[in-house]
Amino acid sequence: CWSWNPDGNGEIENYRAVIRTNSSYQSLSRASQSAELWTKILDLANEQRTALLVIIVFQLMCLADLEFDYINPYDSSSRINKAIMPEYITEGALCLFYLVTGHWCMSLICAPYLYYNARLYTRQKHLIDVTEIFNQLHAEKKQRLYKLFYLIILLFLSIFWMILTALEDHDMD
Amino acid sequence: MGTENPGRPSFPATPFAAAPPTMTPFSNSGSVVGSEASNLRPMRPTVPPNTSPPMTAGPAGSGESPAFRPAPPTRFNDPSLPTPPSSYGPPAAGTFNRFPTPPFGSMPPGPPARAPVVGQPPFQPPPSQVSPPLSFRPQGQIPGVPMGSPPPGVNTPQIDSSFPASRPNFQPSFPPTVSGYPAAGASSQLPLPGYVKQSNAPFQAPQGPPVQSPFQSPPVGYAPSAPTPSPHFLSQQGGLAQAPPVASPYGLHSSTMPPMGAMQGLIEDFSSLSIGSVPGSIDPGVDSKSLPRPLEGDVEPNSLPEGYSLNCNPRYLRLTTNAIPNSQSLVSRWHLPLGAVVCPLAQAPEGEEVSVLNFVSSGIIRCRRCRTYVNPFVTFTDSGRKWRCNICALLNDVPGDYFAHLDATGRRVDLDQRPELTKGSVEFVAPTEYMVRPPMPPLYFFLIDVSISSVRSGMIEVVAKTIKSCLDDLPGFPRTQIGFITYDSTVHFYNMKSSLTQPQMMVVSDLDDIFIPLPDDLLVNLSESRTVVEAFLDSLPTMFQDNLNMESAFGPALKAAFMVMSQLGGKLLIFQNTMPSLGVGRLKLRGDDPRAYGTDKEYSLRVPEDPFYKQMAADFTKFQIGVNVYAFSDKYSDLASIGTLAKYTGGQLYYYPSFQAANHSEKLSHELTRDLTRETAWEAVMRIRCGKGIRFTSYHGNFMLRSTDLVALPAVDCDKAYAMQLSLEETLLTNQTVYFQVALLYTASCGERRIRVHTAAAPVVSDLGEMYRQADTGAIVSMLSRLAIEKTMSSKLEDVRSNVHLRIVKALREYRNLYAVQHRLGGRLIYPESLKFLPLYGLALCKSTPLRGGYSDVPLDERCAAGFTMMALPVKNLLKLLYPSLVQLDDYLLKPSASADEFRKVMKRLPLTADSLDSRGLYVYDDGLQIVLWFGRMLSPDIAMNLLGPDAAAELSRVTLVERETEMSRRLMGLLKKLRESDPSYHQLCNLVRQGEQPREGFMVLTKLVEDQTGGTNGYVDWLIQLHRQVQQNA
């Protein structure tokens, strides 16, 4: 599943880069650098969030296509299943990223989503079951819609955060 | 393949919503209301929704046209009970004219007065009419017509002409003037316990004040005085009040008119049971003999004989209620499942086979928009040039080849030559547009486990012999293909090329990357390679005689079979004896792990562990391969996982626990023979269409869905049924009739592509009571059991059982609410006549193998296997499995002579309780899957000797029943043979049990007596009391 999603790979790379950046910047004076840094970091987070949004929307599209009989259950479920691990990993990375960069609040907000995914994974229920896909269609769609709203709220929150930080920095300058 | 109808099934909302849909039967185009409507055409006469009710008294008004419908709580005449009992009176000519006007006109449209059914002391003579308190007529509306005419006899006559025919058996028992004592008469009339069908009529409440005589004798008081206390009789008591024939109107309508009766909101038809103890006594107050029992077996609904005579036979399609609710709110008040049980290929008795029509030249006539096939309910207009689709109401052109003129009444002149316009079930030969590839040949592929345990049990030998004996009877003779793979720790392929004399065996031991050693010749044409195949089957048992291999590379072998078959599809028969232990798909002994039992996670043992099996099943379905699994293991072998292969490919799981050739070979070979030789439909897809506003939303059974409403069935036959649930898409249905059309597109064994079409219609009603009256217990139970079994996959058994219980409670409570307010029904449990067996079947379902007890009561594999079986069983077989028959045989065997005619008399089913078993008797218990002969402890040794010979004294578990040289033995064997013939889908192996022989008696008979209280489960009486108590709460 790695081959499919360049985002996932990118995520890890980015995330390492951030850690490095982060630690090297720690010693520097916060005031001068912070604005630039925060923007960068939040850009990265935005990328992750966007990737997640795209994945979720893609899965929803597959389900909708299936419902309206544009694709058969075999293709639909294999496409969705390919996208599931990247989604989980990206989500995990995002959460970890917030944690490492000290955004406790955001990280906490992400946690339930991560926990939910982890729970599904440990119970081996994360993949779509092609034989029962039509019976589960409704639930699966609902689950993904919830995720979508969750992510959108997350997006708004972080934009708000970013603006707030930018304003603060601006004031300090 | 999914070519049948790529379009969406549910029709988009269209301008047709407003059109009064299809109500004009094409046959009598103009004459709408006339009473001749019922003579020819199946449909109910047209009553455009908004016209006022016709004033004719004839069958015209037949129905639930909205205009007739009184406010919801009012009553309809039950169409299935077309004969009000009021008709038994001396013919007194002339009275007919006294009431020529039916009360249609004179009845106020509001809720008509209703006469309550009230509990009355037993045997209170008719004078109970003296004081019907006013409160009995809460509505206070007494129709203005002289309804209650003083002398009961006077009004009756007009109906007599129509009555005797339909209810001859009642007639003699009613003294002309007595209207109040059907009880005594009826009980002596009904010699068979539970002979309930006949006694529908008494459930009518009295009508009109002066003649009321509601007798509701509480069973307690009644039973002792009944001359022959026939066990079932009392159950009927509820409405026993025999209505003295009052209303002339019903006479006029009585038996000719199906759902008529809007004007008589006065007739009640529910049954009730008096439950509730006398204060201070422990006695529950229920006479257990009086409880309703389905001793007649499954009774197919004889619904709506008039308007719906063109419906397909109920053996193909059964609705859970033959009255479709017209609004969402009504659906939510109907707490039972709403849907249909379809058995598309059900075996038709001789002479009723579905006719095959060839439309290849002209093309099959279908609706342009919704793809409905032409059926008896379409209407032809525009002098025959157009036809209106009954499902979506679109006006289609009639193709030139199909054109026929209409006669004066609007019928096509060629109607007699058009079975598709006169029969509810037809079969079309499909032209090439219905194929994505040439029709496949029948293909049988065998995957046989040859590890040590299957050699030891003798399974291989039986299988090889049976297959060999079936070679001549495999369907589709010159084209049939066949192939074999055997496996233990390696996979063995067989080259069966026709030029060889002996099959060549090839062994592949690379399990991780399985490949096919030979591109073709693994799958050969049977008629060409017949000698090689026979040589193979002859040598198969000896080939592996000394095999000591204990491993099973089931997964890789499965993959290999898939690779061989994926070109063509077909049927894969798996003979599996050892737990898969090597390669992909290996399974763990998780069922042996006691830690999971009894916890919240117990359900996970019932779902497949390894996704490999689900994935394989999905792939099999995709390539049109149906899988039947024969499992033989004596140890845990995780059928929950392996069974999924059968479940999602439309197959079947046969389970022979601890198979030993000596005991079980007959059963195996019978069932395998049937599997191989029964008529099979290949590469089938099934779709069920229904009218605008409703939609089938969920499907239950053994199959996989190919799209939201397309059921993929790689191989389907007459022993499989499928259930589906309906939901309403619109808040209010405007049409008066809903049509259902099941279409099964398949390849027949002869190589023809065919479409089997079943069409049925059901009225739309706005009255909950009507829904209950039209309910079909068989279909409901079938649906409930499928839902329950599905639920066992995700929750604890206890929750599933309480769920079943709750659903029944809710349904009965809702029903009670319909009536309880008007009638003082304090201590009575009331239920619709149509659902009188529902509580018992509910109880039986909770005690059935998949749902019974806890983990220790039934071995896990057996539970799973029973679950898979019950998901596929047709309604009739399921009901028999839930409430098996128990018959006493010793009298029959001792009788000097017995003709075939006597067989029916002998088969008098007894209630399933230990009280029915007399220790001096010999009983046969038959649940469709097995037969148990129960020998009473004090059975005369004579009988035992005659039947068993010298084995009579031995322990019966080791004795097999064989025909002996005595008359008695011959007769017993003849009887068993008849029993088996009546239900050929499984072979019922005969087990012998002696009374007191534990533990065999326990698990073979005693736990299966569903009415008894065993091991912490409820008995029937307790169950009813419990139901009743809960129904009354918040009632």
Side-chain angles (χ1 to χ4, degrees):
Chain A
C1 53
W2 278 107
S3 61
W4 183 83
N5 187 359
D7 295 335
N9 276 326
E11 259 357 291
I12 301 291
E13 292 301 313
N14 289 342
Y15 153 70
R16 290 202 185 114
V18 169
I19 296 184
R20 252 178 278 128
T21 338
N22 210 17
S23 50
S24 60
Y25 275 106
Q26 266 172 357
S27 54
L28 298 176
S29 75
R30 192 168 173 275
S32 61
Q33 298 288 337
S34 63
E36 203 182 327
L37 176 64
W38 286 129
T39 326
K40 256 189 191 170
I41 289 172
L42 288 170
D43 271 354
L44 193 60
N46 278 338
E47 258 171 47
Q48 285 175 324
R49 272 191 304 269
T50 320
L52 267 181
L53 275 176
V54 169
I55 295 173
I56 300 280
V57 170
F58 170 76
Q59 295 181 3
L60 273 172
M61 270 166 50
C62 284
L63 289 175
D65 279 357
L66 180 72
E67 195 178 355
F68 292 104
D69 216 0
Y70 294 129
I71 52 175
N72 65 43
Y74 304 99
D75 293 347
S76 177
S77 64
S78 75
R79 281 181 204 175
I80 294 173
N81 286 346
K82 272 182 198 158
I84 279 179
M85 277 323 280
E87 178 209 325
Y88 284 16
I89 291 169
T90 314
E91 213 289 315
L94 180 67
C95 190
L96 200 67
F97 172 79
Y98 280 131
L99 191 71
V100 171
T101 52
H103 290 75
W104 309 113
C105 234
M106 290 299 278
S107 154
L108 267 184
I109 294 173
C110 274
Y113 187 166
L114 184 65
Y115 171 72
Y116 179 72
N117 284 349
R119 210 177 59 145
L120 282 186
Y121 184 76
T122 49
R123 295 184 179 183
Q124 290 292 308
K125 282 191 179 162
H126 57 298
L127 293 182
I128 293 242
D129 175 2
V130 61
T131 49
E132 292 286 348
I133 187 166
F134 286 103
N135 294 338
Q136 297 167 352
L137 195 61
H138 197 67
E140 296 283 347
K141 259 172 87 176
K142 214 156 83 181
Q143 183 217 58
R144 281 166 179 79
L145 276 176
Y146 280 130
K147 282 184 175 175
L148 195 65
F149 287 125
Y150 195 88
L151 282 172
I152 289 173
I153 291 170
L154 213 63
L155 190 71
F156 277 116
L157 272 179
S158 55
I159 288 173
F160 169 76
W161 217 258
M162 188 172 73
I163 294 172
L164 203 70
T165 326
L167 284 179
E168 268 176 15
D169 288 346
H170 187 72
D171 290 346
M172 286 165 82
D173 289 346
Chain B
M1 314 220 108
T3 53
E4 197 218 6
N5 177 9
R8 290 276 298 138
S10 53
F11 322 110
T14 59
F16 290 89
T22 67
M23 284 319 290
T24 318
F26 48 86
S27 56
N28 49 358
S29 58
S31 64
V32 172
V33 224
S35 48
E36 90 275 11
S38 63
N39 55 359
L40 297 167
R41 304 303 302 155
M43 298 214 14
R44 290 173 296 107
T46 313
V47 182
N50 292 324
T51 50
S52 58
M55 296 317 251
T56 47
S62 67
E64 336 50 43
S65 83
F68 281 73
R69 218 171 277 147
T74 39
R75 318 292 327 120
F76 283 89
N77 232 346
D78 187 343
S80 68
L81 314 172
T83 54
S86 50
S87 54
Y88 307 105
T95 37
F96 187 85
N97 295 327
R98 280 183 61 188
F99 306 102
T101 330
F104 279 103
S106 45
M107 281 274 282
R114 74 185 50 211
V117 176
V118 199
Q120 292 274 337
F123 287 90
Q124 196 165 356
S128 64
Q129 312 153 348
V130 198
S131 58
L134 276 179
S135 61
F136 281 12
R137 283 169 270 113
Q139 313 286 346
Q141 264 180 339
I142 301 176
V145 234
M147 300 266 305
S149 49
V154 185
N155 317 321
T156 48
Q158 72 276 21
I159 350 146
D160 272 355
S161 54
S162 60
F163 259 64
S166 58
R167 315 190 50 78
N169 46 350
F170 264 77
Q171 201 129 45
S173 68
F174 287 83
T177 45
V178 169
S179 53
Y181 267 60
S187 69
S188 52
Q189 270 286 304
L190 303 172
L192 290 186
Y195 194 38
V196 280
K197 246 199 112 195
Q198 309 279 356
S199 40
N200 290 339
F203 294 81
Q204 316 279 344
Q207 199 178 32
V211 271
Q212 260 184 4
S213 52
F215 291 107
Q216 290 210 308
S217 350
V220 209
Y222 175 74
S225 53
T228 49
S230 88
H232 277 309
F233 173 62
L234 285 175
S235 61
Q236 312 294 332
Q237 296 253 351
L240 269 182
Q242 203 27 274
V246 187
S248 47
Y250 335 150
L252 292 174
H253 299 279
S254 59
S255 59
T256 45
M257 209 178 33
M260 190 47 234
M263 73 296 181
Q264 314 115 1
L266 307 178
I267 295 183
E268 300 295 350
D269 47 357
F270 53 80
S271 319
S272 68
L273 266 177
S274 187
I275 287 183
S277 51
V278 189
S281 78
I282 313 162
D283 175 38
V286 182
D287 178 8
S288 68
K289 282 190 181 143
S290 68
L291 303 174
R293 290 185 179 93
L295 299 180
E296 288 294 284
D298 174 31
V299 179
E300 284 179 355
N302 57 341
S303 67
L304 312 177
E306 279 307 304
Y308 300 92
S309 59
L310 291 197
N311 275 4
C312 61
N313 192 296
R315 81 176 77 95
Y316 302 115
L317 172 74
R318 282 172 81 161
L319 295 169
T320 52
T321 170
N322 275 306
I324 304 298
N326 74 341
S327 65
Q328 298 276 16
S329 63
L330 211 52
V331 176
S332 60
R333 288 170 65 200
W334 165 259
H335 294 281
L336 296 166
L338 180 65
V341 181
V342 177
C343 184
L345 290 173
Q347 231 164 3
E350 201 85 4
E352 285 182 43
E353 287 90 357
V354 177
S355 41
V356 179
L357 310 172
N358 198 328
F359 273 90
V360 172
S361 53
S362 62
I364 296 172
I365 321 290
R366 297 177 72 177
C367 172
R368 217 158 5 103
R369 181 170 56 195
C370 65
R371 312 302 292 151
T372 300
Y373 296 85
V374 71
N375 62 64
F377 300 100
V378 302
T379 47
F380 286 83
T381 56
D382 200 5
S383 59
R385 282 192 295 273
K386 304 236 179 205
W387 63 275
R388 189 179 290 283
C389 168
N390 54 334
I391 288 193
C392 71
L394 184 74
L395 212 52
N396 292 274
D397 292 330
V398 174
D401 300 353
Y402 196 65
F403 176 78
H405 290 286
L406 303 186
D407 66 9
T409 55
R411 297 164 29 128
R412 278 173 66 112
V413 288
D414 64 345
L415 200 64
D416 311 336
Q417 287 106 53
R418 294 283 181 197
E420 74 275 13
L421 297 179
T422 50
K423 286 185 182 163
S425 303
V426 285
E427 205 160 273
F428 298 106
V429 175
T432 43
E433 307 92 86
Y434 293 84
M435 309 171 194
V436 284
R437 58 173 188 177
M440 57 173 277
L443 188 153
Y444 293 91
F445 200 83
F446 300 87
L447 189 61
I448 304 171
D449 183 352
V450 291
S451 61
I452 182 166
S453 53
S454 48
V455 177
R456 290 232 174 110
S457 66
M459 177 273 278
I460 299 178
E461 201 176 340
V462 180
V463 168
K465 258 192 202 150
T466 311
I467 296 174
K468 195 178 166 211
S469 69
C470 289
L471 287 181
D472 282 327
D473 300 326
L474 290 184
F477 159 59
R479 301 160 71 235
T480 315
Q481 306 246 348
I482 197 166
F484 297 86
I485 286 180
T486 56
Y487 64 94
D488 43 23
S489 62
T490 54
V491 182
H492 322 133
F493 296 84
Y494 298 90
N495 180 358
M496 305 243 188
K497 205 176 162 122
S498 54
S499 51
L500 300 170
T501 49
Q502 280 288 317
Q504 266 173 3
M505 178 168 162
M506 284 155 286
V507 178
V508 173
S509 52
D510 181 4
L511 298 180
D512 295 330
D513 184 19
I514 193 87
F515 62 94
I516 302 183
L518 207 66
D520 31 40
D521 294 330
L522 295 177
L523 199 58
V524 292
N525 185 303
L526 177 62
S527 50
E528 285 167 16
S529 305
R530 178 71 186 254
T531 46
V532 194
V533 172
E534 281 186 356
F536 168 74
L537 290 172
D538 283 335
S539 57
L540 182 64
T542 46
M543 226 180 330
F544 295 100
Q545 220 167 19
D546 307 317
N547 193 354
L548 293 177
N549 203 321
M550 288 166 61
E551 304 286 342
S552 159
F554 179 62
L558 202 62
K559 276 192 144 176
F562 173 70
M563 284 189 257
V564 176
M565 295 178 78
S566 57
Q567 288 293 318
L568 281 174
K571 201 165 184 170
L572 173 65
L573 293 98
I574 296 171
F575 300 87
Q576 195 267 352
N577 212 327
T578 319
M579 185 108 156
S581 59
L582 291 177
V584 60
R586 85 189 130 244
L587 297 168
K588 293 196 265 317
L589 280 174
R590 58 183 179 138
D592 279 354
D593 180 5
R595 274 173 299 176
Y597 284 127
T599 65
D600 285 347
K601 293 207 168 171
E602 193 187 320
Y603 72 85
S604 64
L605 294 178
R606 294 189 284 269
V607 293
E609 180 194 26
D610 191 337
F612 168 78
Y613 289 98
K614 277 199 161 179
Q615 192 56 49
M616 275 319 278
D619 290 343
F620 277 130
T621 317
K622 194 174 176 183
F623 290 93
Q624 306 291 356
I625 302 167
V627 179
N628 280 2
V629 179
Y630 292 76
F632 302 95
S633 180
D634 48 349
K635 295 190 287 281
Y636 174 76
S637 58
D638 203 351
L639 290 187
S641 295
I642 293 168
T644 20
L645 290 172
K647 178 173 167 63
Y648 292 110
T649 58
Q652 225 170 325
L653 173 73
Y654 297 87
Y655 182 42
Y656 308 86
S658 329
F659 180 85
Q660 282 305 323
N663 303 330
H664 300 95
S665 67
E666 206 182 329
K667 185 173 169 67
L668 171 61
S669 77
H670 173 101
E671 284 168 6
L672 180 56
T673 307
R674 183 168 169 89
D675 190 9
L676 291 177
T677 55
R678 67 186 160 194
E679 188 48 52
T680 304
W682 306 89
E683 43 178 0
V685 286
M686 183 174 78
R687 173 169 272 143
I688 176 162
R689 296 183 172 84
C690 54
K692 201 165 58 64
I694 55 175
R695 198 159 74 89
F696 282 100
T697 41
S698 65
Y699 295 76
H700 312 275
N702 290 355
F703 56 78
M704 205 180 123
L705 283 177
R706 176 143 321 149
S707 77
T708 31
D709 63 337
L710 189 67
V711 176
L713 302 166
V716 55
D717 49 64
C718 57
D719 297 329
K720 315 262 160 64
Y722 308 93
M724 43 214 83
Q725 279 187 292
L726 268 180
S727 68
L728 261 62
E729 281 188 316
E730 292 166 13
T731 38
L732 202 64
L733 290 184
T734 48
N735 31 355
Q736 297 164 36
T737 313
V738 177
Y739 300 91
F740 299 94
Q741 188 170 65
V742 181
L744 178 83
L745 172 67
Y746 70 96
T747 301
S749 296
C750 60
E752 229 169 29
R753 197 89 172 124
R754 289 187 186 166
I755 308 161
R756 181 174 279 224
V757 179
H758 303 297
T759 316
V764 176
V765 299
S766 60
D767 171 27
L768 190 61
E770 182 65 19
M771 287 180 71
Y772 276 106
R773 248 191 308 286
Q774 293 295 324
D776 176 353
T777 310
I780 290 173
V781 171
S782 170
M783 191 77 93
L784 277 181
S785 65
R786 283 163 197 251
L787 292 173
I789 291 167
E790 272 174 15
K791 207 165 181 324
T792 59
M793 308 286 180
S794 58
S795 34
K796 285 199 286 188
L797 293 178
E798 204 183 311
D799 297 346
V800 178
R801 287 193 295 261
S802 67
N803 204 32
V804 171
H805 179 90
L806 198 68
R807 264 197 119 143
I808 297 175
V809 167
K810 275 188 186 160
L812 292 181
R813 183 185 297 156
E814 197 67 50
Y815 188 76
R816 185 184 176 80
N817 289 348
L818 282 179
Y819 295 98
V821 184
Q822 289 91 348
H823 310 296
R824 294 189 191 151
L825 291 164
R828 308 184 74 80
L829 173 64
I830 70 169
Y831 48 84
E833 172 68 16
S834 55
L835 293 180
K836 59 177 179 265
F837 302 138
L838 183 67
L840 180 56
Y841 278 126
L843 176 67
L845 178 62
C846 291
K847 291 184 176 186
S848 63
T849 320
L851 303 189
R852 186 169 68 212
Y855 61 92
S856 57
D857 290 317
V858 185
L860 187 57
D861 274 346
E862 224 163 280
R863 207 186 276 281
C864 293
F868 289 126
T869 306
M870 280 172 69
M871 288 295 276
L873 279 184
V875 175
K876 220 178 190 91
N877 304 41
L878 179 75
L879 294 188
K880 191 168 175 203
L881 181 64
L882 289 180
Y883 197 86
S885 63
L886 181 71
V887 176
Q888 185 167 11
L889 284 187
D890 45 324
D891 286 348
Y892 167 73
L893 294 177
L894 284 173
K895 246 183 249 164
S897 76
S899 58
D901 183 44
E902 238 170 296
F903 178 68
R904 289 203 155 274
K905 268 189 240 159
V906 174
M907 299 316 284
K908 194 175 90 177
R909 294 174 58 174
L910 300 169
L912 278 180
T913 132
D915 297 341
S916 307
L917 295 172
D918 181 354
S919 61
R920 283 164 298 182
L922 171 70
Y923 293 81
V924 62
Y925 162 95
D926 172 20
D927 66 2
L929 300 182
Q930 66 164 348
I931 288 177
V932 180
L933 270 185
W934 186 88
F935 289 80
R937 198 183 286 132
M938 291 152 70
L939 178 69
S940 92
D942 195 32
I943 297 182
M945 279 302 282
N946 270 320
L947 296 179
L948 303 174
D951 295 334
E955 195 186 323
L956 290 183
S957 58
R958 299 210 200 95
V959 179
T960 45
L961 195 66
V962 285
E963 187 161 332
R964 289 176 199 282
E965 284 304 302
T966 58
E967 168 68 17
M968 210 180 273
S969 173
R970 265 195 292 276
R971 275 164 73 181
L972 179 68
M973 296 311 272
L975 196 119
L976 293 181
K977 196 167 156 235
K978 278 216 177 94
L979 282 181
R980 284 173 184 151
E981 276 166 2
S982 69
D983 181 13
S985 51
Y986 289 91
H987 180 84
Q988 297 86 16
L989 208 60
C990 190
N991 295 296
L992 311 178
V993 168
R994 183 170 287 136
Q995 186 180 13
E997 185 184 349
Q998 296 295 356
R1000 283 182 82 234
E1001 190 196 13
F1003 68 82
M1004 280 194 169
V1005 180
L1006 296 184
T1007 52
K1008 306 238 172 108
L1009 297 175
V1010 292
E1011 290 182 23
D1012 280 346
Q1013 207 166 350
T1014 44
T1017 58
N1018 281 325
Y1020 190 18
V1021 173
D1022 296 340
W1023 169 262
L1024 276 182
I1025 291 173
Q1026 203 183 338
L1027 278 180
H1028 180 53
R1029 217 170 274 147
Q1030 287 175 352
V1031 165
Q1032 275 187 316
Q1033 282 166 7
N1034 344 309

